[in-house]
Amino acid sequence: NENIEIDAINFAINLIVVVILSYLIKLVYNKYSNSLSNKDYFSKNFVVLGVTTCLVITIVKSSLALSLGLVGALSIVRFRAAIKEPEELVYLFLVIATGLGAGANQLKITILGVLISLTIVVFFSIFFTKKIKNIDLNVFQLSIIFNKKISNEVFGDILIILNKNCKEVDFISMSSEKEEGSIHFEIFPNSAKSISIINKELNNQIKDLKIIFSRKGNISL
C-alpha cells in the first residue's frame, strides 16, 4: 500500500515525446496508408491512445497492486473497435508500443524504434506504389464484340492467339446470344508491338468482329 511519488518533470517529458511520436505516426498513416476507410477519422485518436497508454504504464509500473488491478479492469472492459484491415491494427500497436516505451522511461529505444518503423513504412509504400503503377501501365483490357453467337472453337482460337502474344491473360466476362456476343479479357502483352499482332491475327482468324483495346480501368465492360 506504499505510495511511490512519480517525478512530474520526467513524466511531462515522456508525455511530450509520446505526443510528438504519436502525431508523427498519424501523419505517416494519413499519407502512406492504403486503407480504404476514413483515415482522418481513424487516426484522430492516435495521440490520445499514446498518452493514455503512457499514463497507465507510468502509474501501474510503480505498484504491484495496481498492476493486478489493471488486469482485473481489462478483463471487465471489452473493446469493440471495428478493425477492418490488418494495416490499421499495425498502426494501433505502434502507437501503443510508443506509450509503453515512454511510460517505462525507455525514451531512446522508443524514439529509435518508432523512427525506424516509420522509415520502413514510407520506403515500402513508395517502392511498391511505383512498382504497381509500372505494372498497371502494361495491363490492357481487351473487348471483342461479335455479330454472331460465340462458339467453343472461336473461343479456343482467341485464347491461342492471346496466350502466344501475352505474358498473362485473365478472363473477365463473356456474353453470347443468337445474333451477338462479346468477350472481355485483361491482358499483359509481351510488348507494344504485340497489340498490333493480336489485332491482326484476330481479324485474320475470325470474321465479323470488333476489337477494342484500352488501358486498365478506362473502359466500361
Side-chain angles (χ1 to χ4, degrees):
N1 295 325
E2 181 182 357
N3 292 325
I4 300 177
E5 292 294 332
I6 298 173
D7 187 353
I9 296 178
N10 187 45
F11 177 64
I13 294 174
N14 291 343
L15 286 182
I16 293 173
V17 172
V18 170
V19 170
I20 295 173
L21 292 179
S22 298
Y23 187 73
L24 184 60
I25 295 172
K26 179 181 183 297
L27 294 179
V28 172
Y29 173 78
N30 288 336
K31 185 171 183 179
Y32 295 102
S33 172
N34 295 318
S35 175
L36 300 177
S37 60
N38 190 325
K39 297 179 183 180
D40 291 330
Y41 178 79
F42 180 76
S43 63
K44 70 178 182 179
N45 294 317
F46 280 8
V47 176
V48 177
L49 177 61
V51 170
T52 302
T53 305
C54 178
L55 175 62
V56 171
I57 296 303
T58 301
I59 296 174
V60 166
K61 72 177 183 179
S62 62
S63 171
L64 177 61
L66 290 175
S67 301
L68 296 176
L70 177 64
V71 174
L74 293 180
S75 66
I76 298 174
V77 179
R78 299 182 65 185
F79 296 94
R80 295 183 178 273
I83 305 300
K84 300 179 181 178
E85 303 174 27
E87 186 181 19
E88 296 178 350
L89 192 60
V90 170
Y91 279 96
L92 286 178
F93 272 120
L94 186 57
V95 174
I96 293 173
T98 302
L100 288 172
N105 289 324
Q106 302 295 330
L107 293 183
K108 292 181 180 179
I109 295 177
T110 302
I111 294 173
L112 181 61
V114 171
L115 292 179
I116 291 177
S117 299
L118 295 181
T119 301
I120 293 173
V121 169
V122 173
F123 173 78
F124 279 102
S125 296
I126 295 175
F127 176 78
F128 282 109
T129 299
K130 289 183 177 179
K131 187 175 181 181
I132 291 173
K133 286 183 178 179
N134 291 333
I135 292 176
D136 286 344
L137 289 176
N138 298 320
V139 176
F140 291 83
Q141 289 181 336
L142 169 63
S143 295
I144 307 174
I145 303 172
F146 301 85
N147 293 325
K148 58 183 179 180
K149 185 177 180 179
I150 304 172
S151 63
N152 294 333
E153 291 77 11
V154 170
F155 185 77
D157 292 338
I158 293 173
L159 289 180
I160 291 174
I161 294 173
L162 294 181
N163 288 327
K164 183 173 62 175
N165 295 282
C166 299
K167 298 176 183 177
E168 183 177 344
V169 178
D170 292 329
F171 172 78
I172 297 179
S173 65
M174 179 177 71
S175 63
S176 180
E177 299 178 3
K178 291 183 178 181
E179 298 181 356
E180 62 180 0
S182 63
I183 308 176
H184 305 284
F185 294 96
E186 193 170 87
I187 62 173
F188 197 131
N190 294 330
S191 64
K193 187 178 179 181
S194 298
I195 297 176
S196 177
I197 296 174
I198 292 172
N199 183 66
K200 182 179 179 180
E201 291 188 0
L202 285 174
N203 280 292
N204 290 337
Q205 187 76 19
I206 308 168
K207 303 301 180 180
D208 299 325
L209 55 78
K210 180 181 179 181
I211 302 173
I212 302 175
F213 288 94
S214 174
R215 287 287 188 189
K216 182 180 179 181
N218 291 338
I219 188 170
S220 179
L221 301 180

